[in-house]
Amino acid sequence: MTPFAEFVAIDWSGQAVERPKGLAVARAVQGTAAPELVEHRGGWSRPAILDWLVGLADASTRALIGLDLSPAFPHADHGAFFPGWAESPADAKALWAMVDTLCAADEHLAASSFVTHPEARRHFRQLGDCGDRFPAGRGRFRVCEHGQAEMALSPYSCFNLVGASQVGKSSLTGMRVLHRLAGRVPVWPFDPVPEAGPLIVEIYTALAARTAGLRKGLSKVRDGATLDVLLAALGSDPHAPLARYDDHATDAILTAAWLRHVADDARLWDPPGLGTVAQTEGWTFGVV
């Protein structure tokens, strides 16, 4: 595999507004220099990030890009994303196309229309509306999410849309972006790893923080001193001070450094169990 020259981590958001506060982009280059935030005038929007990623592809930038979202729903447990729905897509790319089509009228690449669709909503737990196909307990999980739990992480079902830690809305909006990047930026493991240009992988920012030494029970970094300690554990120089330390900025910076630190680990590109779900559920980079 051709080495990557740049490492990008994007903290994502499913908030149905033009410029979600949760969007943050950090970029690192080969070497030990600390990652830096990539700013966008007026703040990032999902369409602006989409355009920026297209720009990386057009420039043939050899970048490993981590998106903090789930690119697909559970499939292996029932042999379908939406069991009982005749139109349930066969694989992840068909799912991305369905989500983007059903949400075509949603502004800012939001995905509100999908979770209110009469068939789709049956599978989600929403505030005041738990679908009849949402199972008892925590909900359905992907194979790699079971792997996250085995690594002492705390995954949430993509079908759970309740609570501050829910990831379903971020995942749905991300699927719209992935669909629109088709043919421009490959996405691992759904696409082969290219020998040139950028590649997208799914990231879990808590995994990066844990690898760097943040103890269990803590998942967020809100000060510069702690950030530098964790960056050092990943072979990175201290960062340039930030105007504001929030979860999104520090997650992006730390995870960009982590991507650079682990990108050459062959085990992460061929985890056990990937073969059966590579085209349906996908995989979180770093889960082994």
Side-chain angles (χ1 to χ4, degrees), residues 205-215 221 226-235 254-255 257-258 261:
T205 58
L207 174 56
R210 192 68 53 77
T211 302
L214 194 66
R215 66 177 176 81
V221 179
T226 302
L227 179 58
D228 278 342
V229 169
L230 298 177
L231 285 172
L234 299 173
L254 189 61
T255 308
W258 174 79
H261 187 67

Side-chain angles (χ1 to χ4, degrees), residues 87-127:
E87 297 180 17
S88 183
D91 57 30
K93 291 188 177 183
L95 173 64
W96 304 345
M98 170 188 266
V99 172
D100 197 39
T101 298
L102 291 180
C103 299
D106 292 2
E107 294 183 320
H108 319 309
L109 292 177
S112 303
S113 295
F114 193 82
V115 296
T116 58
H117 183 278
E119 282 294 331
R121 61 152 292 279
R122 299 177 64 190
H123 298 266
F124 292 92
R125 179 166 61 192
Q126 305 182 63
L127 190 62

Side-chain angles (χ1 to χ4, degrees), residues 12-281:
W12 200 251
S13 172
Q15 189 179 14
V17 297
E18 182 179 5
R19 291 183 173 86
K21 293 181 179 179
L23 293 178
V25 181
R27 176 163 53 183
V29 297
Q30 279 284 9
T32 62
E36 296 182 349
L37 290 178
V38 180
E39 305 287 357
H40 188 272
R41 187 173 183 178
W44 283 106
S45 66
R46 284 181 291 266
I49 289 180
L50 171 60
D51 291 342
W52 188 75
L53 293 174
V54 169
L56 293 181
D58 289 345
S60 298
T61 303
R62 186 60 172 164
L64 180 60
I65 303 159
L67 288 182
D68 184 26
L69 54 90
S70 298
F73 292 116
H75 186 283
D77 56 350
H78 292 293
F81 295 121
F82 307 104
W85 186 7
E87 297 180 17
S88 183
D91 57 30
K93 291 188 177 183
L95 173 64
W96 304 345
M98 170 188 266
V99 172
D100 197 39
T101 298
L102 291 180
C103 299
D106 292 2
E107 294 183 320
H108 319 309
L109 292 177
S112 303
S113 295
F114 193 82
V115 296
T116 58
H117 183 278
E119 282 294 331
R121 61 152 292 279
R122 299 177 64 190
H123 298 266
F124 292 92
R125 179 166 61 192
Q126 305 182 63
L127 190 62
D129 179 21
C130 187
D132 63 299
R133 289 191 176 273
F134 188 92
R138 299 175 62 201
R140 297 169 59 197
F141 287 88
R142 295 184 295 153
V143 172
C144 71
E145 289 160 354
H146 289 295
Q148 293 170 15
E150 291 173 2
M151 297 174 73
L153 298 168
S154 301
Y156 279 75
S157 171
C158 296
F159 288 114
N160 175 31
L161 305 183
V162 178
S165 298
Q166 65 87 14
V167 296
K169 293 178 182 177
S170 291
S171 299
L172 286 164
T173 58
M175 290 175 200
R176 297 194 66 186
V177 169
L178 295 177
H179 176 64
R180 294 179 181 218
L181 287 171
R184 291 178 176 267
V185 183
V187 183
W188 178 87
F190 311 102
D191 298 304
V193 176
E195 289 301 320
L199 173 69
I200 289 174
V201 296
E202 173 194 352
I203 54 174
Y204 188 175
T205 58
L207 174 56
R210 192 68 53 77
T211 302
L214 194 66
R215 66 177 176 81
K216 183 173 174 56
L218 298 176
S219 60
K220 301 300 179 183
V221 179
R222 297 183 174 90
D223 67 273
T226 302
L227 179 58
D228 278 342
V229 169
L230 298 177
L231 285 172
L234 299 173
S236 173
D237 297 338
H239 73 289
L242 306 180
R244 179 172 177 236
Y245 289 87
D246 61 35
D247 301 348
H248 313 296
T250 58
D251 278 352
I253 289 171
L254 189 61
T255 308
W258 174 79
L259 281 172
R260 179 174 62 190
H261 187 67
V262 302
D264 293 332
D265 188 340
R267 298 175 308 140
L268 305 190
W269 296 100
D270 189 26
L274 173 63
T276 60
V277 295
Q279 298 303 311
T280 51
E281 298 186 353

